[in-house]
Amino acid sequence: MLSRALAIGLSTSIATATGIAARPAIQEIASVPPRVLQAVRIEGSKVRLDGRLDDPVWQVAPNGGDFVQMEPDEGAPASEPTTVQVAYDDEHLYVAVRAFDSEPDKIRGLLTRRDVESPSDWILVAIDSYGDHRTAFQFGVNPAGARSDLYRSDDVNEDPSWDAVWDVAVARDSTGWTAEFCIPFSQLRFPQGHHRWGFQVGRIISRKKEIDLWRLIPRNANSVVALFGDLEGIEDIPAPRRLQLLPYSVGSLERRPVEQGNPFSSARRWVGNIGGDLKYGISSNLTLDITINPDFGQVEADPSEFNLTAYESYFEEKRPFFLEGNNIFNFGVGVGDGDMGNETLFYSRRIGRTPQHSPEVSDEGYVNLPRLTTILFAGKVTGKSRHGWSIGVLEALTDREVAEVHDQGRRYTETVEPRANYLAVRTQKDFRQGRSTLGAMFTSVVRDIDSPAVQSLNRQAFAGGVDFSHRWSQDRFFLELKVAASHIRGHQEAITEAQTSSARYFQRPDARHVKFDPSRTTLSGMAASYLVGKLAGGNWSYGVGGVVRSPGFEVNDLGYQRDADFVIHFGFLGYNWYRPGKLLRDYGANVNLWHVTNFGGEKLGVGGSANFRFRFLNYWGGFVGVNGNGPRLSTSSLRGGPAILVPASLNLFARFFTDEQKTLSLSVQAMWSADRYGTHGLRLMPSLTVRPDGRVHCSLGLGILPQVDDRQYVDEIARPGGSDYIFARLDQKTIFATIRLSYTFTPTLSVQFYGMPFLTAGAYSRFRTVVSPRAAVYEQRYAPYDYPDNPNFNFRQFRSNLVLRWEYRPGSTLFLVWSQGRTSVDDRGTFSLTDDGRALFDTQSENVFLLKVNRWLSF
């Protein structure tokens, strides 16, 4: 709720006020009047930050009021008055907000750690200090003193990982509550000279499910920052001090089970480390960030999974240095959400990844493999000029990593990751107050391939692209265009790896438009996409788009990409209704159609989907939908074998949720899929959130996934004249839980627990070999096969983190961390919650105990 309070298309956690008769129509963007607030310079005494608003400056600063509702009754006057004032001195911007309340005993404030959303009253202040109508710095506080901050980019995107060093004080009295913000100019970015900044203030009244804004943003708009009001009067600000240091020291104890006979196994290991971050303001609108020997020991573990697909899993970035400002380097090469929505030219998880090579040893051999690649240095320059040029440059150097090997009486080392340099450059130019943009991006990876062991990695990898966006007619209509290209160089083994990867499979015997060449040492490709339509204004939205990706396109050295060699055309039509009626508060429906071929003209997919979302008057709601795919050719199912005809399938999905503002809220998500030949699956995911008081937050999410895949790939077995591609029927059952508990002592001291037990088991049967992959009759595509091995599996894993976080002074933090992991694997293949759970927790655990302290220094 909190992060979307100034956005369009609000989440269902925001609801309506009661007792307000007027229900105005949803406003059009052009009808929203402009607003201007004047800031005053503080003369004489400093502001005493206590939230009481009794300093002399607040007696003379102009007062901005007349807030209007965004929800529930868009455009109506706020049910409770709110006022805002702004003052400044040479170093700080001060914002005073008084939230009047006719029932002050009902003001709600839950105590949470920083940036955690909660169903509380909130005051939010957003500042577009570049004045570009596209970027903004947002600060928030609730009546308990819990804080939040985030960075807004590209008008509507949000980056909650951005953390500034600022202060705020709150107070309550008989008229309501107040918030007094103190924001150092060093934490903002702005060009020198005269300042006319974008400005917005939002207020959330939790019990009424009401959002009030100083300047209204219509719910059917396609803009956020572009619709801010203006803040004037800020002049003659000295260049702020912009050198900040954040050194850290960390000590950890690792305890692991001892593996008998393994010379690298030890029960206990002490590790100490030092490093730090530097932030320097090259100018008031350009910042340099540097990290040396970074440590991410306090970062939450990735979720468990058991991947049986041919594709690499995508995991979200969680490391603070790469999170902050990561949106600047965003250049997606896909569309929509899901797997394709994650595809991008820059995927920061490539930097400091797990080493990509693993030495081959005999059954009696042992390998001591580094867990992650060491980041020696990483730095980035980000900012924006007064003429609308934004820039982001990131460079990182990772160390050469070696594994220790003990095999057949020999002990030696082998390179598993070469030293590498990573570079990403992003620039963008704004036109028409940010409503048109033209941008470009370039990425580079250069590796020092000093060993034959890692010559399967590209020596050089380059990628780049240009993008253009344009909005017109009060931002109702939009156009987005992107073109990208890639080029990789390396040893023949590296380019062979690229040609035969799951993204392209050039070795496919029935492919006529591509050719596998094992002698190649380079590979190049291109990608393009377009999207045009109407997203804002009125109730209807519609558009068409397309994505083209040539067979040789490859960006996985510093980006993320699953597939190449396709041409997609799609269209969508949507209808949204925002005015509450007799039963529903709001609802919407969408229809989508798509068609996919490859560069050889083979039909890879055709289908469509329809969905309907809704919210009842009591703030319960959900969505339901259907997705259908027609018969298609799959060029990846045989992992390099011929394309195979895949039958049509049907997917049904739904989600239902209760009022997320309540002490107890429930959500249930389900998806069912099937085809007519025995493949079917269910994905049931209930979740429960409990907030028993203002300090405790508990959530439990379950995943129950029974499924049967009649065409699970098993193996490729070479034979004279060709290969046998083995499929089988896989009966798999998976259960997992995601547990989160937190207790907040103060806004700066909290403890959080994250735990995820994960159990899955699969039994294979009906082994078959593919004999006629394009036969019209399903059964004629396969023949029985006597497969000699047992691929059955039981995989069990538990991961947890317990973190005590204390911000002992602004910007300086102490972490106490306990991480635990357990993994158990066997080939029984039958699932038993009792037996698998017992086997998991009978497995000896790996434990890491960590103390990390950093100190923020400003000069």
Side-chain angles (χ1 to χ4, degrees):
M1 174 185 71
L2 174 60
S3 64
R4 299 189 177 188
L6 299 184
I8 2 136
L10 292 174
S11 68
T12 52
S13 60
I14 308 294
T16 186
T18 56
I20 300 177
R23 296 199 181 277
I26 298 297
Q27 289 194 241
E28 291 295 331
I29 302 167
S31 69
V32 179
R35 299 209 66 179
V36 178
L37 184 63
Q38 197 76 16
V40 299
R41 177 178 280 278
I42 297 173
E43 304 292 346
S45 61
K46 296 282 187 179
V47 169
R48 184 176 64 254
L49 201 69
D50 56 12
R52 299 185 183 279
L53 310 189
D54 53 6
D55 295 279
V57 68
W58 303 131
Q59 313 309 314
V60 298
N63 204 319
D66 300 325
F67 281 57
V68 295
Q69 294 184 41
M70 184 180 187
E71 281 211 1
D73 295 303
E74 183 178 304
S79 66
E80 304 284 355
T82 306
T83 63
V84 57
Q85 298 169 282
V86 179
Y88 68 99
D89 56 24
D90 285 349
E91 296 181 346
H92 302 92
L93 183 74
Y94 299 92
V95 181
V97 181
R98 177 172 289 279
F100 293 93
D101 202 305
S102 57
E103 299 177 284
D105 57 323
K106 295 184 179 179
I107 294 172
R108 189 180 189 190
L110 301 184
L111 195 58
T112 64
R113 72 177 178 91
R114 185 171 180 163
D115 290 338
V116 173
E117 298 186 5
S118 67
S120 302
D121 287 31
W122 285 90
I123 290 172
L124 307 169
V125 174
I127 303 163
D128 172 14
S129 53
Y130 282 124
D132 61 4
H133 306 277
R134 291 180 58 81
T135 59
F137 304 92
Q138 181 174 308
F139 308 86
V141 68
N142 75 7
R147 307 180 190 185
S148 74
D149 47 17
L150 61 82
Y151 175 71
R152 293 185 173 275
S153 63
D154 293 335
D155 197 357
V156 297
N157 295 333
E158 299 173 351
D159 179 10
S161 66
W162 177 76
D163 285 332
V165 180
W166 57 285
D167 207 355
V168 66
V170 296
R172 298 197 196 197
D173 56 30
S174 60
T175 65
W177 69 290
T178 55
E180 196 171 24
F181 295 81
C182 175
I183 303 168
F185 287 125
S186 64
Q187 303 300 296
L188 304 177
R189 305 289 178 266
F190 51 86
Q192 289 296 112
H194 176 74
H195 304 291
R196 184 184 178 96
W197 292 350
F199 187 70
Q200 179 67 286
V201 179
R203 178 184 177 185
I204 298 174
I205 306 176
S206 177
R207 71 180 185 276
K208 297 184 177 184
K209 312 296 196 300
E210 181 177 331
I211 296 178
D212 302 325
L213 297 179
W214 178 65
R215 203 226 177 182
L216 179 64
I217 300 175
R219 293 186 64 194
N220 62 0
N222 188 30
S223 299
V224 177
V225 180
L227 297 179
F228 283 7
D230 289 326
L231 180 65
E232 293 188 335
I234 300 177
E235 298 179 351
D236 302 323
I237 304 172
R241 294 180 298 173
R242 296 288 297 280
L243 176 60
Q244 302 169 32
L245 299 178
L246 190 68
Y248 80 85
S249 60
V250 62
S252 65
L253 168 63
E254 302 176 2
R255 297 179 61 92
R256 291 182 168 85
V258 175
E259 184 181 359
Q260 295 299 320
N262 187 345
F264 307 118
S265 179
S266 61
R268 182 178 301 177
R269 179 173 177 244
W270 292 92
V271 178
N273 212 350
I274 60 172
D277 299 340
L278 177 147
K279 187 184 293 285
Y280 176 67
I282 301 172
S283 65
S284 62
N285 57 345
L286 200 62
T287 302
L288 168 68
D289 290 275
I290 293 175
T291 185
I292 298 174
N293 193 27
D295 173 83
F296 307 112
Q298 78 279 11
V299 174
E300 185 177 283
D302 290 322
S304 300
E305 66 164 16
F306 192 74
N307 188 352
L308 291 173
T309 73
Y311 300 104
E312 174 194 13
S313 299
Y314 178 89
F315 293 107
E316 294 182 354
E317 179 62 87
K318 299 181 181 180
R319 301 169 297 176
F321 175 82
F322 294 103
L323 272 173
E324 184 176 343
N326 196 28
N327 55 79
I328 296 174
F329 299 95
N330 179 45
F331 194 108
V333 292
V335 293
D337 50 16
D339 295 328
M340 181 169 284
N342 292 327
E343 294 184 307
T344 177
L345 290 187
F346 179 69
Y347 178 40
S348 57
R349 295 277 303 238
R350 301 298 186 203
I351 303 173
R353 67 190 300 172
T354 300
Q356 299 175 75
H357 172 68
S358 183
E360 295 184 4
V361 297
S362 67
D363 293 341
E364 293 78 27
Y366 296 94
V367 177
N368 184 22
L369 189 69
R371 189 174 64 89
L372 296 171
T373 302
T374 302
I375 302 173
L376 297 174
F377 162 89
K380 55 187 175 184
V381 175
T382 56
K384 191 163 191 173
S385 75
R386 65 165 55 248
H387 302 294
W389 283 99
S390 62
I391 185 172
V393 179
L394 184 147
E395 186 164 17
L397 178 66
T398 60
D399 203 3
R400 172 177 174 263
E401 297 291 346
V402 299
E404 297 178 276
V405 181
H406 187 279
D407 189 22
Q408 297 178 346
R410 295 178 56 229
R411 189 157 183 165
Y412 58 94
T413 61
E414 184 170 306
T415 302
V416 292
E417 185 75 25
R419 180 168 290 163
N421 183 270
Y422 299 84
L423 174 68
V425 181
R426 180 74 159 115
T427 185
Q428 210 166 32
K429 178 68 169 71
D430 298 347
F431 305 93
R432 301 173 55 246
Q433 295 187 326
R435 287 178 167 83
S436 298
T437 65
L438 178 64
M441 187 166 189
F442 172 77
T443 68
S444 161
V445 179
V446 178
R447 297 186 176 94
D448 180 14
I449 306 295
D450 61 351
S451 168
V454 290
Q455 66 185 12
S456 62
L457 302 178
N458 297 319
R459 186 180 300 275
Q460 296 175 321
F462 306 106
V466 294
D467 59 339
F468 173 74
S469 68
H470 180 64
R471 292 181 293 178
W472 68 95
S473 186
Q474 285 84 44
D475 295 341
R476 294 182 179 89
F477 297 90
F478 72 98
L479 169 68
E480 294 181 358
L481 298 172
K482 292 182 181 180
V483 179
S486 68
H487 179 75
I488 59 176
R489 292 176 173 270
H491 189 272
Q492 294 176 1
E493 184 178 341
I495 306 305
T496 293
E497 287 279 344
Q499 293 180 86
T500 60
S501 76
S502 58
R504 48 193 61 82
Y505 291 131
F506 278 10
Q507 75 275 29
R508 187 162 59 89
D510 58 343
R512 299 291 179 261
H513 62 292
V514 292
K515 179 182 179 182
F516 171 56
D517 181 357
S519 66
R520 294 186 67 162
T521 57
T522 65
L523 184 68
S524 301
M526 60 77 63
S529 66
Y530 77 95
L531 185 61
V532 60
K534 175 180 178 292
L535 278 185
N539 302 104
W540 290 96
S541 61
Y542 46 82
V544 295
V547 183
V548 177
R549 198 173 297 171
S550 75
F553 187 71
E554 172 59 41
V555 298
N556 275 314
D557 289 270
L558 190 51
Y560 178 82
Q561 168 195 347
R562 285 168 60 95
D563 288 301
D565 190 14
F566 60 77
V567 179
I568 300 177
H569 299 288
F570 62 88
F572 65 89
L573 174 67
Y575 182 85
N576 292 283
W577 184 261
Y578 299 108
R579 291 184 59 187
K582 295 182 179 180
L583 177 63
L584 296 177
R585 181 161 306 282
D586 52 53
Y587 62 88
N590 288 279
V591 177
N592 310 278
L593 298 172
W594 59 84
H595 181 272
V596 188
T597 63
N598 64 14
F599 272 57
E602 297 170 307
K603 187 171 71 174
L604 304 184
V606 59
S609 68
N611 60 77
F612 176 74
R613 63 161 187 88
F614 57 91
R615 281 195 303 166
F616 295 110
L617 295 177
N618 64 352
Y619 318 123
W620 292 33
F623 63 80
V624 294
V626 59
N627 180 332
N629 289 284
R632 61 185 179 87
L633 280 176
S634 172
T635 57
S636 61
S637 290
L638 298 187
R639 316 283 173 97
I644 187 171
L645 191 61
V646 175
S649 62
L650 180 69
N651 305 307
L652 304 176
F653 51 91
R655 177 176 181 256
F656 300 95
F657 55 84
T658 64
D659 183 357
E660 298 174 0
Q661 297 283 292
K662 300 296 185 181
T663 300
L664 187 150
S665 59
L666 176 68
S667 171
V668 179
Q669 186 169 339
M671 185 176 73
W672 175 84
S673 60
D675 64 27
R676 57 183 295 191
Y677 298 104
T679 293
H680 61 273
L682 173 67
R683 187 179 185 93
L684 182 64
M685 301 183 66
S687 64
L688 177 70
T689 300
V690 182
R691 302 178 182 91
D693 61 26
R695 298 176 183 269
V696 179
H697 180 275
C698 311
S699 68
L700 171 64
L702 297 178
I704 304 169
L705 289 72
Q707 60 183 12
V708 174
D709 187 347
D710 194 55
R711 299 177 303 279
Q712 176 61 50
Y713 178 84
V714 178
D715 200 358
E716 177 185 353
I717 298 178
R719 57 174 170 76
S723 295
D724 286 325
Y725 299 94
I726 312 304
F727 275 11
R729 184 180 182 89
L730 172 63
D731 188 345
Q732 182 179 5
K733 296 180 176 62
T734 303
I735 292 181
F736 63 85
T738 302
I739 306 162
R740 298 184 187 275
L741 307 172
S742 67
Y743 185 85
T744 306
F745 301 94
T746 71
T748 58
L749 178 62
S750 61
V751 60
Q752 298 89 40
F753 172 79
Y754 161 82
M756 184 178 182
F758 180 92
L759 307 173
T760 186
Y764 290 82
S765 62
R766 294 181 57 193
F767 293 95
R768 291 157 290 161
T769 183
V770 178
V771 292
S772 181
R774 303 195 188 203
V777 179
Y778 180 81
E779 291 78 6
Q780 294 177 357
R781 299 169 200 166
Y782 312 99
Y785 191 88
D786 185 14
Y787 189 67
D789 297 328
N790 173 23
N792 294 347
F793 59 85
N794 284 68
F795 177 83
R796 317 168 188 98
Q797 191 169 71
F798 176 73
R799 291 176 173 173
S800 68
N801 292 79
L802 180 65
V803 181
L804 175 72
R805 183 184 187 277
W806 176 32
E807 190 174 352
Y808 59 91
R809 55 175 293 167
S812 304
T813 311
L814 179 147
F815 297 95
L816 281 172
V817 183
W818 172 29
S819 298
Q820 184 180 106
R822 303 168 185 260
T823 301
S824 171
V825 181
D826 62 46
D827 59 2
R828 193 175 74 249
T830 57
F831 183 88
S832 168
L833 182 60
T834 302
D835 294 343
D836 284 311
R838 183 183 300 114
L840 174 61
F841 288 99
D842 284 345
T843 303
Q844 287 184 291
S845 63
E846 299 182 357
N847 296 274
V848 178
F849 303 91
L850 177 145
L851 170 63
K852 179 179 179 180
V853 182
N854 59 37
R855 177 69 180 269
W856 183 76
L857 304 170
S858 179
F859 302 94

